[in-house]
Amino acid sequence: MKDKPRRSGESSRKRRAPREENAESRKSVGVKKSTSGADEQGENGDLLQFEDTFDDDFDSEEAEEPIDGYGAADEDAAKGATGGRQTERRVFRPGVDTIGDNEELVHDPSAYDMLHKVHVEWPALSFDFLADQIQGSRNVFPMTAYCVIGSQAQISSKNSITVMKMSQLHKTKRRRRKNKLDEDEDEAEESSDEDSDEDKKKGDPLLESYKIKHDGAINRIRSMPQQPNIVSTWSETGRVNVFDVEPAISALDRGSRMPHPNAQKPTAVKPFFVFSAHKSEGFAMDWSPLQQGRMVTGAMNRTLMSWTQREDGRFSVDPDTFRGHTDSIEDLQWSPTETDVFASCSADRSIRFWDLRVGKKSALTLSNAHEMDVNVISWNRIDSHLLVSGGDEGGLKVWDLRSVKDGESLPAAFFGYHRKPITSVEWHPTLSSMLAGSSEDHTVSLWDLSVERDPEEEATLGEVLPGAEDLPPQLMFLHMGQKNIKEVHWHRQLPSVLMSTAEDGLNIFRAADIW
C-alpha cells in the first residue's frame, strides 16, 4: 500500500506549498471575515478563501431559464474566438477524450443549482460535515454548512484541524426570462451609479473558521453523529486522536457576541484521548450511527479494533484485534440497522462483515470482491441490504446482502466508468438509489441505480451531444475541475448538497434537476 499515490509515504500526501494564484486567471470574492475572536483566528481569514466562479453573480429564488449547453458568456467567447461561428459542443469523457492545444473545457452553469470553491492553506485528504441545530427549511438559499477538515501540511508541525462555517451559500447565476419590466430595469441600472460596496457584499459567501493544532498530517477525520463536537482523527504518526471541538463551534455560532469569561479559547483545544496501540499508520475509521460513542478503527498493519465510550466520556478500546484480513484495512462502515455489525474492506481485495457478538472472526467474507485493492465502502442507510464498494481498478460495485454468500459472489450492479482508483464513495442520505463516488481521474460521479436506458424516450428529447451516447444511463452527473480528489460527502441536512476535497481545495455544490 505504501507505493500508492494516495497512501502513506512522503509522495502520497500530495504535500506542497500554497499555490500562487494568477490574478488575471482567477477572480476571488471579497470574503467577509468574522470579527469575533480575531486574535484567536489569526491568519485564517487570509488562508481560507472562496473563489467566485460566477463573477459575484448569484441567483434569487425567481423563475429562471436554464442555459442550453453552456453559459451565455462562454457562448459569446466561443463565437468571438471563431469569428462569430459557434464551436461544436460535445460531452468530454475523462480518460477517453483529450484536450487539444487550442481547446479548453467550459463548464455549464445551468448544470448546478449551487457551486462554490474554497482555497485552503494546505491540501486536505479528509473532511466531514458537522450536524447543526439550524431550524426551518434547509432547502432555501442561501445555505449554511459546518465542517471539519484535516490538513496535509508540507511541514508536520503546521498541521491542524480547521473547524469551518460556510454561510450565505447562494444559488448560482442563470439566465432569467426577460420581459418588458426586466428590460426597463436593465436600462435603469445602466444609467444609475455603481452599487455601494455594502450592497455588493450582500451576495458574498461568508467563511469563518478556527484552527486547532494537530500532531502530524491527518489521514482521516470523522465527527460522531450523536455528538458532532466529538471529532476523531487518524494521524500519520500512527495515533488516533479524539477532540472536543465545541469551543470552536460555539465561537462560530456566537459571531461577534462576547464569549463567556471562562470559555475555552477555540484554538487551545487539545485531544482528550489518544490511542497508539495500533502501532501503525491507518485510514479506516467509522462512528456507529446507532450507538453513541462506539467506533471502529483499522490500520495498515491489518489491526482492527473496536471502541466504546465510558460514562466519564473517555474510551475503552478492546486490545484484541479482529482477525481475517491479510493486508491493509482501507475503510470501515457500521450497519445502519444492526448495533453490533460492521463491514471492512482491504487491500487483500476482500470485504468482510463482523458481528461483535460472535467473536473476532468475520461472519461473512466476499473474497476477491474487486480485481485490485478495495479502497472504500458505503452502507445504504435506507435500503440496508445494499452496500457499495470502490476499487483500485476504478470499478464501483453494488452488493445485495440478501443474496451474497460466503466466498465469491457476483455484485448486483457494476459500473466500470472510471479508469483510475476510486477514492471515496457514499450513498445519498435520503434517496436510496443514488450514490456519489470520486476517483483519481479528477472527477466526482453521481449515479442513480433506478435509471434504465429508454431509446424511445431519448428520441423524443431531441439532439444527443456527441460523446453522451457512450455514457452509462445511470450516470447522472459528472463534476470536474479539481485535482486529485480524495473524498466526497453528502450533507445530511442540506438536500442533495455535496462537498469534495482535493489537492487544490474544496468544492461545495448541488447538481441541478437530479434530486
Side-chain angles (χ1 to χ4, degrees), residues 3-27:
D3 59 347
K4 280 192 173 185
R6 69 180 185 87
R7 295 306 188 196
S8 69
E10 187 62 26
S11 62
S12 72
R13 301 297 177 201
K14 312 293 186 198
R15 297 178 186 165
R16 56 181 177 79
R19 296 188 307 158
E20 295 182 1
E21 299 294 347
N22 186 330
E24 295 181 356
S25 63
R26 191 180 295 275
K27 179 182 177 184

mmCIF file of all heavy atoms in Angstrom, residues 3-27:
data_model
loop_
_atom_site.group_PDB
_atom_site.id
_atom_site.type_symbol
_atom_site.label_atom_id
_atom_site.label_comp_id
_atom_site.label_asym_id
_atom_site.label_seq_id
_atom_site.Cartn_x
_atom_site.Cartn_y
_atom_site.Cartn_z
ATOM 1 N N ASP A 3 3.212 2.193 -1.756
ATOM 2 C CA ASP A 3 3.568 2.735 -3.055
ATOM 3 C C ASP A 3 2.393 3.385 -3.752
ATOM 4 O O ASP A 3 2.525 3.887 -4.846
ATOM 5 C CB ASP A 3 4.140 1.629 -3.950
ATOM 6 C CG ASP A 3 3.157 0.483 -4.159
ATOM 7 O OD1 ASP A 3 2.152 0.440 -3.426
ATOM 8 O OD2 ASP A 3 3.417 -0.359 -5.035
ATOM 9 N N LYS A 4 1.239 3.413 -3.084
ATOM 10 C CA LYS A 4 0.063 4.039 -3.681
ATOM 11 C C LYS A 4 0.180 5.550 -3.623
ATOM 12 O O LYS A 4 0.583 6.102 -2.621
ATOM 13 C CB LYS A 4 -1.208 3.623 -2.949
ATOM 14 C CG LYS A 4 -1.720 2.266 -3.354
ATOM 15 C CD LYS A 4 -3.111 2.130 -2.788
ATOM 16 C CE LYS A 4 -3.732 0.865 -3.306
ATOM 17 N NZ LYS A 4 -5.110 0.766 -2.862
ATOM 18 N N PRO A 5 -0.218 6.257 -4.700
ATOM 19 C CA PRO A 5 -0.143 7.723 -4.671
ATOM 20 C C PRO A 5 -0.961 8.336 -3.566
ATOM 21 O O PRO A 5 -0.657 9.399 -3.077
ATOM 22 C CB PRO A 5 -0.692 8.120 -6.058
ATOM 23 C CG PRO A 5 -0.527 6.905 -6.906
ATOM 24 C CD PRO A 5 -0.661 5.737 -5.984
ATOM 25 N N ARG A 6 -2.047 7.684 -3.151
ATOM 26 C CA ARG A 6 -2.935 8.302 -2.170
ATOM 27 C C ARG A 6 -2.637 7.832 -0.756
ATOM 28 O O ARG A 6 -3.322 8.191 0.176
ATOM 29 C CB ARG A 6 -4.396 7.999 -2.506
ATOM 30 C CG ARG A 6 -4.794 6.562 -2.318
ATOM 31 C CD ARG A 6 -6.228 6.347 -2.674
ATOM 32 N NE ARG A 6 -6.634 4.996 -2.392
ATOM 33 C CZ ARG A 6 -7.092 4.588 -1.222
ATOM 34 N NH1 ARG A 6 -7.170 5.437 -0.233
ATOM 35 N NH2 ARG A 6 -7.449 3.348 -1.034
ATOM 36 N N ARG A 7 -1.659 6.967 -0.594
ATOM 37 C CA ARG A 7 -1.400 6.402 0.708
ATOM 38 C C ARG A 7 -0.133 6.970 1.320
ATOM 39 O O ARG A 7 0.397 7.971 0.899
ATOM 40 C CB ARG A 7 -1.304 4.868 0.588
ATOM 41 C CG ARG A 7 -2.633 4.236 0.163
ATOM 42 C CD ARG A 7 -3.766 4.634 1.077
ATOM 43 N NE ARG A 7 -4.957 3.903 0.774
ATOM 44 C CZ ARG A 7 -6.144 4.250 1.201
ATOM 45 N NH1 ARG A 7 -6.329 5.314 1.911
ATOM 46 N NH2 ARG A 7 -7.189 3.516 0.902
ATOM 47 N N SER A 8 0.365 6.262 2.350
ATOM 48 C CA SER A 8 1.409 6.835 3.165
ATOM 49 C C SER A 8 2.718 6.927 2.412
ATOM 50 O O SER A 8 2.935 6.297 1.390
ATOM 51 C CB SER A 8 1.605 6.004 4.435
ATOM 52 O OG SER A 8 2.158 4.757 4.106
ATOM 53 N N GLY A 9 3.636 7.691 2.993
ATOM 54 C CA GLY A 9 4.889 7.986 2.339
ATOM 55 C C GLY A 9 4.893 9.440 1.938
ATOM 56 O O GLY A 9 3.878 10.060 1.735
ATOM 57 N N GLU A 10 6.059 10.023 1.771
ATOM 58 C CA GLU A 10 6.145 11.462 1.526
ATOM 59 C C GLU A 10 5.417 11.863 0.251
ATOM 60 O O GLU A 10 4.747 12.870 0.199
ATOM 61 C CB GLU A 10 7.631 11.870 1.440
ATOM 62 C CG GLU A 10 7.859 13.369 1.344
ATOM 63 C CD GLU A 10 7.348 14.120 2.555
ATOM 64 O OE1 GLU A 10 7.260 13.531 3.641
ATOM 65 O OE2 GLU A 10 7.029 15.297 2.413
ATOM 66 N N SER A 11 5.542 11.035 -0.801
ATOM 67 C CA SER A 11 4.904 11.406 -2.059
ATOM 68 C C SER A 11 3.395 11.238 -2.013
ATOM 69 O O SER A 11 2.672 11.842 -2.783
ATOM 70 C CB SER A 11 5.466 10.543 -3.193
ATOM 71 O OG SER A 11 5.179 9.186 -2.959
ATOM 72 N N SER A 12 2.897 10.392 -1.096
ATOM 73 C CA SER A 12 1.462 10.112 -1.083
ATOM 74 C C SER A 12 0.646 11.251 -0.522
ATOM 75 O O SER A 12 -0.533 11.346 -0.768
ATOM 76 C CB SER A 12 1.197 8.859 -0.243
ATOM 77 O OG SER A 12 1.375 9.137 1.121
ATOM 78 N N ARG A 13 1.251 12.116 0.242
ATOM 79 C CA ARG A 13 0.500 13.167 0.919
ATOM 80 C C ARG A 13 0.107 14.297 0.001
ATOM 81 O O ARG A 13 -0.687 15.134 0.373
ATOM 82 C CB ARG A 13 1.346 13.740 2.074
ATOM 83 C CG ARG A 13 1.736 12.694 3.096
ATOM 84 C CD ARG A 13 0.512 12.149 3.748
ATOM 85 N NE ARG A 13 0.872 11.097 4.664
ATOM 86 C CZ ARG A 13 0.048 10.176 5.070
ATOM 87 N NH1 ARG A 13 -1.175 10.164 4.643
ATOM 88 N NH2 ARG A 13 0.440 9.246 5.913
ATOM 89 N N LYS A 14 0.684 14.358 -1.171
ATOM 90 C CA LYS A 14 0.440 15.493 -2.066
ATOM 91 C C LYS A 14 0.779 16.791 -1.353
ATOM 92 O O LYS A 14 0.118 17.799 -1.540
ATOM 93 C CB LYS A 14 -1.019 15.526 -2.532
ATOM 94 C CG LYS A 14 -1.544 14.190 -3.035
ATOM 95 C CD LYS A 14 -0.874 13.785 -4.295
ATOM 96 C CE LYS A 14 -1.540 12.528 -4.843
ATOM 97 N NZ LYS A 14 -0.748 11.815 -5.804
ATOM 98 N N ARG A 15 1.777 16.761 -0.476
ATOM 99 C CA ARG A 15 2.107 17.959 0.274
ATOM 100 C C ARG A 15 2.836 18.945 -0.612
ATOM 101 O O ARG A 15 3.713 18.587 -1.383
ATOM 102 C CB ARG A 15 2.986 17.607 1.474
ATOM 103 C CG ARG A 15 2.297 16.709 2.468
ATOM 104 C CD ARG A 15 3.230 16.363 3.592
ATOM 105 N NE ARG A 15 2.607 15.375 4.469
ATOM 106 C CZ ARG A 15 3.274 14.680 5.359
ATOM 107 N NH1 ARG A 15 4.546 14.833 5.502
ATOM 108 N NH2 ARG A 15 2.649 13.820 6.118
ATOM 109 N N ARG A 16 2.511 20.192 -0.465
ATOM 110 C CA ARG A 16 3.132 21.221 -1.277
ATOM 111 C C ARG A 16 2.884 22.562 -0.625
ATOM 112 O O ARG A 16 1.993 22.722 0.204
ATOM 113 C CB ARG A 16 2.548 21.221 -2.691
ATOM 114 C CG ARG A 16 1.033 21.381 -2.684
ATOM 115 C CD ARG A 16 0.473 21.363 -4.070
ATOM 116 N NE ARG A 16 -0.962 21.436 -4.066
ATOM 117 C CZ ARG A 16 -1.656 22.552 -3.897
ATOM 118 N NH1 ARG A 16 -1.026 23.685 -3.705
ATOM 119 N NH2 ARG A 16 -2.966 22.542 -3.909
ATOM 120 N N ALA A 17 3.662 23.532 -1.029
ATOM 121 C CA ALA A 17 3.449 24.880 -0.530
ATOM 122 C C ALA A 17 2.211 25.458 -1.186
ATOM 123 O O ALA A 17 1.797 25.021 -2.260
ATOM 124 C CB ALA A 17 4.665 25.756 -0.856
ATOM 125 N N PRO A 18 1.572 26.455 -0.543
ATOM 126 C CA PRO A 18 0.382 27.064 -1.144
ATOM 127 C C PRO A 18 0.682 27.626 -2.518
ATOM 128 O O PRO A 18 1.740 28.219 -2.746
ATOM 129 C CB PRO A 18 0.011 28.176 -0.152
ATOM 130 C CG PRO A 18 0.660 27.787 1.121
ATOM 131 C CD PRO A 18 1.906 27.039 0.747
ATOM 132 N N ARG A 19 -0.241 27.418 -3.441
ATOM 133 C CA ARG A 19 -0.033 27.906 -4.792
ATOM 134 C C ARG A 19 -0.212 29.414 -4.863
ATOM 135 O O ARG A 19 -1.023 29.988 -4.170
ATOM 136 C CB ARG A 19 -1.016 27.252 -5.759
ATOM 137 C CG ARG A 19 -0.831 25.769 -5.887
ATOM 138 C CD ARG A 19 -1.700 25.259 -7.008
ATOM 139 N NE ARG A 19 -3.074 25.670 -6.827
ATOM 140 C CZ ARG A 19 -3.961 25.751 -7.817
ATOM 141 N NH1 ARG A 19 -3.595 25.477 -9.037
ATOM 142 N NH2 ARG A 19 -5.199 26.104 -7.581
ATOM 143 N N GLU A 20 0.532 30.053 -5.746
ATOM 144 C CA GLU A 20 0.341 31.474 -6.008
ATOM 145 C C GLU A 20 -0.590 31.597 -7.197
ATOM 146 O O GLU A 20 -0.284 31.166 -8.304
ATOM 147 C CB GLU A 20 1.678 32.150 -6.315
ATOM 148 C CG GLU A 20 2.638 32.149 -5.123
ATOM 149 C CD GLU A 20 3.922 32.870 -5.438
ATOM 150 O OE1 GLU A 20 4.042 33.372 -6.572
ATOM 151 O OE2 GLU A 20 4.795 32.932 -4.560
ATOM 152 N N GLU A 21 -1.759 32.165 -6.945
ATOM 153 C CA GLU A 21 -2.763 32.257 -7.988
ATOM 154 C C GLU A 21 -2.460 33.408 -8.935
ATOM 155 O O GLU A 21 -1.987 34.468 -8.534
ATOM 156 C CB GLU A 21 -4.155 32.463 -7.372
ATOM 157 C CG GLU A 21 -4.589 31.331 -6.466
ATOM 158 C CD GLU A 21 -4.798 30.047 -7.237
ATOM 159 O OE1 GLU A 21 -4.846 30.112 -8.482
ATOM 160 O OE2 GLU A 21 -4.894 28.996 -6.590
ATOM 161 N N ASN A 22 -2.749 33.199 -10.190
ATOM 162 C CA ASN A 22 -2.623 34.236 -11.197
ATOM 163 C C ASN A 22 -3.829 35.147 -11.106
ATOM 164 O O ASN A 22 -4.957 34.722 -11.309
ATOM 165 C CB ASN A 22 -2.545 33.585 -12.590
ATOM 166 C CG ASN A 22 -2.276 34.609 -13.678
ATOM 167 O OD1 ASN A 22 -2.670 35.762 -13.561
ATOM 168 N ND2 ASN A 22 -1.585 34.158 -14.718
ATOM 169 N N ALA A 23 -3.590 36.403 -10.786
ATOM 170 C CA ALA A 23 -4.708 37.331 -10.570
ATOM 171 C C ALA A 23 -5.528 37.528 -11.830
ATOM 172 O O ALA A 23 -6.706 37.845 -11.774
ATOM 173 C CB ALA A 23 -4.173 38.686 -10.090
ATOM 174 N N GLU A 24 -4.902 37.335 -12.991
ATOM 175 C CA GLU A 24 -5.640 37.538 -14.224
ATOM 176 C C GLU A 24 -6.535 36.353 -14.560
ATOM 177 O O GLU A 24 -7.533 36.509 -15.246
ATOM 178 C CB GLU A 24 -4.654 37.777 -15.370
ATOM 179 C CG GLU A 24 -3.854 39.057 -15.205
ATOM 180 C CD GLU A 24 -2.924 39.270 -16.366
ATOM 181 O OE1 GLU A 24 -2.855 38.394 -17.243
ATOM 182 O OE2 GLU A 24 -2.263 40.315 -16.409
ATOM 183 N N SER A 25 -6.158 35.163 -14.095
ATOM 184 C CA SER A 25 -6.923 33.980 -14.470
ATOM 185 C C SER A 25 -7.902 33.536 -13.407
ATOM 186 O O SER A 25 -8.734 32.694 -13.652
ATOM 187 C CB SER A 25 -5.962 32.818 -14.760
ATOM 188 O OG SER A 25 -5.251 32.482 -13.587
ATOM 189 N N ARG A 26 -7.793 34.078 -12.182
ATOM 190 C CA ARG A 26 -8.670 33.619 -11.111
ATOM 191 C C ARG A 26 -9.153 34.824 -10.327
ATOM 192 O O ARG A 26 -8.370 35.591 -9.794
ATOM 193 C CB ARG A 26 -7.913 32.662 -10.185
ATOM 194 C CG ARG A 26 -8.821 31.945 -9.213
ATOM 195 C CD ARG A 26 -8.013 31.029 -8.334
ATOM 196 N NE ARG A 26 -7.388 29.966 -9.073
ATOM 197 C CZ ARG A 26 -7.981 28.828 -9.373
ATOM 198 N NH1 ARG A 26 -9.209 28.611 -8.981
ATOM 199 N NH2 ARG A 26 -7.362 27.899 -10.053
ATOM 200 N N LYS A 27 -10.451 35.003 -10.245
ATOM 201 C CA LYS A 27 -11.019 36.114 -9.506
ATOM 202 C C LYS A 27 -11.590 35.604 -8.203
ATOM 203 O O LYS A 27 -12.304 34.625 -8.172
ATOM 204 C CB LYS A 27 -12.125 36.790 -10.309
ATOM 205 C CG LYS A 27 -12.763 37.955 -9.570
ATOM 206 C CD LYS A 27 -13.876 38.559 -10.382
ATOM 207 C CE LYS A 27 -14.560 39.686 -9.619
ATOM 208 N NZ LYS A 27 -15.703 40.224 -10.340
#
